[in-house]
């Protein structure tokens, strides 16, 4: 259902409020540079600091500005099942292609609880679901057997996973348990190359915010099984992948965007702070290495 380079979009702020004009320009720039789909209101979009009204406005504008040129995978995750369902129902009505639903954070549900959470979402909204596993942030790990159970239980609705577990064996675990048609997307830029070699179809990416054309070209090379070209592009992007996490994300990528575009600020919301000096130096060097400045 999805493939290629899919940026997890930042949410631009200016003087503490959502910068709608900058966000519209960002959406256009991403599409013009080959991004295959867009994810508003994910982790990189600072969804956890948005009010529900802001959250829905970001999704609404993304869908409106994309105007059908690429699918929108709306961030719908929450640690509250009913709030996640609220986001899903809104996103379905707004025209999203799918909802990205993270494993509930802070609550630390069991695998049984995860099945119950995603089952409730699938049974109460017909928006396709992209599971999102990022145990480094949520503590809870969406284990392969749970993913397989959910995909088998809701084959037309739980259609994909963004896996940021760091465990590359998950790609083969899912392929063996579900089948090749289940869409797997890397959630870690630095692991996208081996994940694609193992059977993933793309990456929901932080780096693609600032390097959309390079990331799209890299993903296209992987799709064409041209891994020699993919390695060359990966080498070009690799320092940038790591620079994006030299400080709490998305502060470094917002700083990077402010270096590339004068219409973007590096503003983040508390409890995050703007990128520290070490992160800025790493981003600056990585942008030069990638040929972006």
């Amino acid at each position: 259902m999805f493939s290629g380079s899919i940026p997890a979009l930042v949410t631009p702020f200016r003087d503490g409020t959502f910068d709608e004009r900058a966000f519209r320009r960002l959406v256009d720039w991403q599409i013009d540079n080959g991004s295959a789909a867009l994810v508003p209101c994910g982790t990189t979009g600072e969804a956890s600091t948005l009010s529900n009204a802001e959250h829905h406005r970001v999704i609404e504008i993304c869908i409106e500005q994309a105007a059908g040129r690429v699918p929108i995978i709306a961030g719908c995750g929450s640690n509250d099942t009913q709030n996640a369902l609220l986001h899903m129902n809104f996103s379905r009505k707004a025209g999203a292609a799918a909802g990205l639903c993270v494993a509930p954070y802070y609550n630390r549900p069991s695998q049984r609880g995860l099945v119950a959470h995603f089952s409730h979402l699938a049974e109460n909204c017909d928006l396709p679901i992209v599971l999102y596993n990022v145990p480094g942030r949520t503590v809870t790990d969406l284990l392969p057997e749970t993913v397989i159970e959910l995909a088998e239980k809701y084959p037309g609705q739980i259609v994909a996973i963004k896996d940021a577990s760091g465990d590359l064996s998950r790609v083969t675990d899912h392929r063996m348990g579900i089948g090749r048609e289940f869409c797997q997307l890397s959630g870690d830029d630095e692991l996208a190359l081996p994940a694609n070699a193992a059977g993933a179809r793309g990456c929901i990416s932080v780096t693609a915010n600032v390097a959309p054309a390079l990331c799209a070209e890299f993903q296209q090379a992987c799709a064409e099984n041209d891994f020699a070209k993919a390695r060359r592009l990966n080498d070009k992007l690799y320092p940038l992948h790591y620079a994006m996490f030299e400080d709490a994300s998305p502060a470094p990528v917002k700083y990077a965007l402010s270096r590339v575009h004068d219409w973007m600020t590096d503003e983040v919301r508390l409890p995050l702070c703007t990128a520290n000096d070490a992160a800025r130096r790493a981003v600056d060097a990585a942008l030069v290495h990638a040929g972006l400045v």
Side-chain angles (χ1 to χ4, degrees):
M1 188 172 185
F2 305 106
S3 62
S5 178
I6 305 172
L9 297 175
V10 302
T11 301
F13 298 124
R14 191 174 294 272
D15 300 325
T17 62
F18 171 44
D19 188 342
E20 295 188 10
R21 180 178 295 181
F23 189 62
R24 289 182 184 276
R25 293 184 71 174
L26 179 64
V27 168
D28 284 339
W29 184 63
Q30 288 292 333
I31 296 171
D32 290 345
N33 281 274
S35 296
L38 301 174
V39 177
C41 296
T43 304
T44 310
E46 296 176 80
S48 59
T49 67
L50 300 176
S51 69
N52 278 352
E54 288 175 318
H55 191 125
H56 294 169
R57 183 62 177 155
V58 172
I59 291 169
E60 184 177 51
I61 288 179
C62 190
I63 293 168
E64 177 185 310
Q65 194 67 25
R69 290 176 288 171
V70 297
I72 306 303
I73 306 170
C76 293
S78 175
N79 66 324
D80 172 2
T81 302
Q82 294 306 317
N83 206 49
L85 183 60
L86 175 73
H87 294 327
M88 285 189 62
N89 282 323
F90 175 86
S91 299
R92 181 185 61 79
K93 291 176 183 176
L100 180 70
C101 296
V102 71
Y105 43 88
Y106 191 77
N107 311 53
R108 300 183 67 180
S110 64
Q111 297 301 303
R112 179 167 165 259
L114 290 171
V115 170
H117 169 78
F118 288 111
S119 294
H120 186 83
L121 299 181
E123 290 168 7
N124 288 278
C125 182
D126 60 4
L127 184 70
I129 293 171
V130 178
L131 303 173
Y132 179 15
N133 188 36
V134 57
R137 285 186 179 269
T138 65
V139 181
T140 302
D141 189 1
L142 192 58
L143 296 176
E145 52 266 34
T146 304
V147 175
I148 292 165
E149 179 180 348
L150 287 165
E152 289 178 342
K153 191 175 180 182
Y154 304 102
Q157 189 154 9
I158 294 182
V159 297
I161 187 168
K162 173 188 176 181
D163 189 81
S165 67
D167 183 353
L168 288 167
S169 68
R170 300 288 176 94
V171 180
T172 303
D173 288 337
H174 298 150
R175 279 166 61 88
M176 296 293 288
I178 305 168
R180 297 182 181 183
E181 295 310 309
F182 183 69
C183 178
Q184 298 193 65
L185 301 166
S186 175
D188 296 308
D189 280 295
E190 72 279 7
L191 296 178
L193 178 60
N196 284 346
R201 299 185 187 179
C203 181
I204 295 181
S205 167
V206 176
T207 301
N209 274 280
V210 70
L214 282 174
C215 288
E217 188 180 2
F218 163 75
Q219 289 294 339
Q220 184 62 35
C222 290
E224 294 171 354
N225 288 316
D226 187 350
F227 284 98
K229 180 179 180 180
R231 281 192 295 272
R232 289 195 299 272
L233 289 164
N234 191 59
D235 289 348
K236 197 170 186 178
L237 288 163
Y238 205 67
L240 197 56
H241 296 334
Y242 279 96
M244 296 297 92
F245 293 92
E246 284 288 336
D247 200 355
S249 180
V253 69
K254 282 193 159 180
Y255 168 70
L257 277 164
S258 76
R259 290 286 323 280
V260 173
H261 295 300
D262 60 8
W263 41 269
M264 290 291 294
T265 75
D266 66 346
E267 190 175 326
V268 291
R269 277 189 175 169
L270 291 172
L272 298 182
C273 299
T274 53
N276 62 33
D277 289 343
R280 288 170 185 254
R281 288 192 295 270
V283 168
D284 288 341
L287 289 173
V288 171
H289 181 84
L292 296 172
V293 293

